[in-house]
């Protein structure tokens, strides 16, 4: 699907009330049979403490004994400082040394403790960002991006192989959805990145990995069960110990999953908005046909916990959604919600008609939005030169495909 043609210099941008864009092609099913989570040998990292305790209860332990053993295993397997042996010894002797009774050994030793992913490619950027291509056991390729910063390093995490949401500005959406990632495959992106960040920190004095953003390949809310399980393990104080306030999950606006997300996760929420009205948003984001901006805002207002706020991501396209009037419309939309807005100049993507605005138009938009009292930040591109910036993941795979005969 392509967006309406971007007007030439000086021509008016598309506004609400203009003729609607051509109807998009029928959407692919979001989750096909082939897109489900793969079932290989059960893996330890596919469990959070609660699911591991349930497995142990079914193995014959009492509920209290199962919870106690699960806590010991979380600490043993995942609680070491980055750089320590991971995973540590995993055999009957190691479990006995932890005080785990023989009744639990068979169930635990049936779980594979090792990594499910391997590094297939490293693409370092001139700004020290590192795009990683990771290969799963079935050969599927997943991309993560390690973004160093002065105070902390951030990892951009993927939740699916491909994506079904087909946003016009996103490379991953051009691939379609191949399959879901298991919780352990999500966690293993972090395990690999921790080791790399530690190595980079030793040579370049970089900050440790402390910030996770689910803004990589895929729509996290289309794989919410596995994403929530991974977040629970990653934020478990006995395991990886990431602060929930340093974990952010981004959605294109799957409104009917927002309540469940806030109920079951302590992580932060980001919503990819990218237009100030339904006509333009639906032209570049097919999800808006099912969940309009009004429906999305109502779900946020109803579900946002007290004291929490939502991050709106607004990708700026030259003369499409970057006029002063657009900033006014955006301010009116977010009014009444505890929020901040990240303005993101678009990166080169699958549609060359979508261009970043000039510095002057960017600054004018931000000033106008801030003038309405909206907390506004500009997210500068990182890793653009290696295809690791916002909207670019999996783009290299498309570029490398041979041209059709």
């Amino acid at each position: 699907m392509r967006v309406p043609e971007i007007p030439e210099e000086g021509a008016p941008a598309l506004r609400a009330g203009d003729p609607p864009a051509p109807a998009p092609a029928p959407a692919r099913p979001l989750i096909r049979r082939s897109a489900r989570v793969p079932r290989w040998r059960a893996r330890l990292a596919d469990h959070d403490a609660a699911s591991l305790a349930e497995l142990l209860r079914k193995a014959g332990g009492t509920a209290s004994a199962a919870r106690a053993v699960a806590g010991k295993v979380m600490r043993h397997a995942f609680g070491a400082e980055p750089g320590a042996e991971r995973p540590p010894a995993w055999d009957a002797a190691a479990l006995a040394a932890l005080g785990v009774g023989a009744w639990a050994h068979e169930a635990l030793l049936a779980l594979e403790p090792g990594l499910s992913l391997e590094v297939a490619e490293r693409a370092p950027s001139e700004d020290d960002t590192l795009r990683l291509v990771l290969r799963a056991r079935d050969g599927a390729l997943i991309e993560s991006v390690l973004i160093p910063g002065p105070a902390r390093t951030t990892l951009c995490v993927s939740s699916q192989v491909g994506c079904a949401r087909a946003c016009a500005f996103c490379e991953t959406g051009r691939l379609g959805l191949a399959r879901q990632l298991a919780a352990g495959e999500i966690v293993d992106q972090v395990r690999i990145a921790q080791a790399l960040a530690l190595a980079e920190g030793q040579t370049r004095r970089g900050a440790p990995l402390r910030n996770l953003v689910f803004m990589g390949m895929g729509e996290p809310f289309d794989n919410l069960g596995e994403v929530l399980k991974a977040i629970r393990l990653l934020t478990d104080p006995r395991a990886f110990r990431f602060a929930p306030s340093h974990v952010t999950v981004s959605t294109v606006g799957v409104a009917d999953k927002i309540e469940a997300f806030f109920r079951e996760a302590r992580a932060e929420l980001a919503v990819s908005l990218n237009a100030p009205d339904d006509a333009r948003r639906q032209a570049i984001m097919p999800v808006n046909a099912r969940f309009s901006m009004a429906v999305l805002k109502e779900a946020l207002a109803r579900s946002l916990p007290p004291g929490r706020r939502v991050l709106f991501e607004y990708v700026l396209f030259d003369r499409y959604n970057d006029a002063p009037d657009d900033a006014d419309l955006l301010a009116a939309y977010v009014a009444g919600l505890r929020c901040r807005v990240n303005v993101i100049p678009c990166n080169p993507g699958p549609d060359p008609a979508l261009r970043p605005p000039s510095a002057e138009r960017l600054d004018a938009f931000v000033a106008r939005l801030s003038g309405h009292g909206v907390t506004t930040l500009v997210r500068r591109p990182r890793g653009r030169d290696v295809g690791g910036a916002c909207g670019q993941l999996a783009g290299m795979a498309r570029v490398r495909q041979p041209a059709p005969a």
Side-chain angles (χ1 to χ4, degrees):
M1 186 198 78
R2 292 179 64 86
V3 302
E5 185 176 351
I6 304 298
E8 296 296 331
E9 184 75 27
L14 179 67
R15 290 287 182 269
D18 285 350
R28 294 179 297 273
L30 287 184
I31 302 176
R32 306 184 303 275
R33 239 175 228 288
S34 59
R36 294 176 179 174
V37 176
R39 297 300 177 193
W40 300 303
R41 178 186 172 188
R43 299 185 55 257
L44 183 59
D46 285 330
H47 288 280
D48 60 14
S51 66
L52 184 60
E54 177 61 16
L55 182 149
L56 292 168
R57 188 191 64 77
K58 291 179 179 177
T62 64
S64 59
R67 287 194 298 270
V69 169
K72 291 177 182 179
V73 169
M74 291 290 110
R75 186 172 287 108
H76 172 70
F78 304 121
E81 290 296 323
E85 181 188 1
R86 183 177 291 177
W90 189 249
D91 53 28
L95 294 178
L98 292 176
V100 175
W103 63 271
H105 287 193
E106 182 178 356
L108 290 172
L109 294 177
L111 301 175
E112 168 60 51
L115 292 169
S116 62
L117 306 175
E118 63 179 8
V119 178
E121 179 183 320
R122 296 174 50 154
S125 168
E126 292 181 357
D127 62 16
D128 291 334
T129 298
L130 181 63
R131 181 174 63 85
L132 297 170
V133 180
L134 306 174
R135 182 180 290 109
R137 292 181 176 181
D138 63 350
L141 297 179
I142 304 155
E143 296 196 12
S144 304
V145 184
L146 196 59
I147 309 167
R152 65 186 183 221
T153 293
T154 296
L155 179 68
C156 183
V157 182
S158 292
S159 55
Q160 297 179 306
V161 182
C163 183
R165 291 298 177 171
C167 296
F169 49 87
C170 180
E171 291 281 8
T172 309
R174 293 286 290 268
L175 299 179
L177 177 61
R179 71 167 173 85
Q180 308 285 19
L181 293 184
E185 292 174 313
I186 297 171
V187 170
D188 284 351
Q189 294 173 65
V190 180
R191 296 166 76 182
I192 290 170
Q194 280 184 322
L196 291 173
L198 181 70
E200 290 292 311
Q202 290 172 342
T203 58
R204 302 187 187 187
R205 299 182 182 178
L209 174 58
R210 290 186 180 151
N211 205 43
L212 304 176
V213 292
F214 283 73
M215 299 178 183
M217 297 172 64
E219 165 53 53
F221 279 18
D222 288 343
N223 191 20
L224 189 57
E226 297 298 307
V227 167
L228 290 172
K229 191 184 296 184
I231 290 173
R232 286 191 289 267
L233 178 56
L234 291 166
T235 58
D236 191 325
R238 297 163 298 189
F240 293 92
R241 300 186 293 278
F242 281 89
S245 60
H246 288 178
V247 179
T248 300
V249 177
S250 177
T251 177
V252 296
V254 186
D256 61 350
K257 301 284 184 68
I258 289 174
E259 184 175 358
F261 171 79
F262 280 125
R263 183 176 63 247
E264 299 182 35
R266 294 183 295 157
E268 302 298 311
L269 178 67
V271 175
S272 188
L273 197 60
N274 307 327
D277 56 54
D278 281 315
R280 279 177 284 175
R281 189 167 193 265
Q282 188 165 325
I284 59 174
M285 300 183 70
V287 68
N288 201 84
R290 182 176 180 191
F291 301 110
S292 70
M293 292 177 67
V295 168
L296 176 59
K297 182 172 182 178
E298 192 279 331
L300 289 166
R302 182 182 67 248
S303 306
L304 193 63
R308 300 276 291 280
R309 62 179 179 172
V310 63
L311 168 66
F312 286 107
E313 299 166 301
Y314 193 90
V315 178
L316 215 59
F317 306 109
D318 184 46
R319 301 186 184 279
Y320 185 74
N321 63 353
D322 65 341
D325 288 351
D326 297 332
D328 296 341
L329 289 172
L330 178 57
Y333 179 76
V334 303
L337 293 173
R338 297 181 301 278
C339 69
R340 70 182 191 274
V341 176
N342 268 13
V343 176
I344 308 166
C346 80
N347 295 297
D351 191 337
L354 294 173
R355 305 182 298 264
S358 66
E360 293 75 17
R361 290 182 72 86
L362 170 64
D363 292 344
F365 184 91
V366 170
R368 185 75 163 240
L369 189 58
S370 299
H372 286 287
V374 178
T375 301
T376 309
L377 301 171
V378 178
R379 189 199 297 171
R380 302 295 177 182
R382 298 288 302 273
R384 177 186 282 178
D385 58 313
V386 295
C390 180
Q392 292 186 314
L393 291 195
M396 290 296 104
R398 182 175 65 84
V399 170
R400 290 170 182 165
Q401 288 177 350

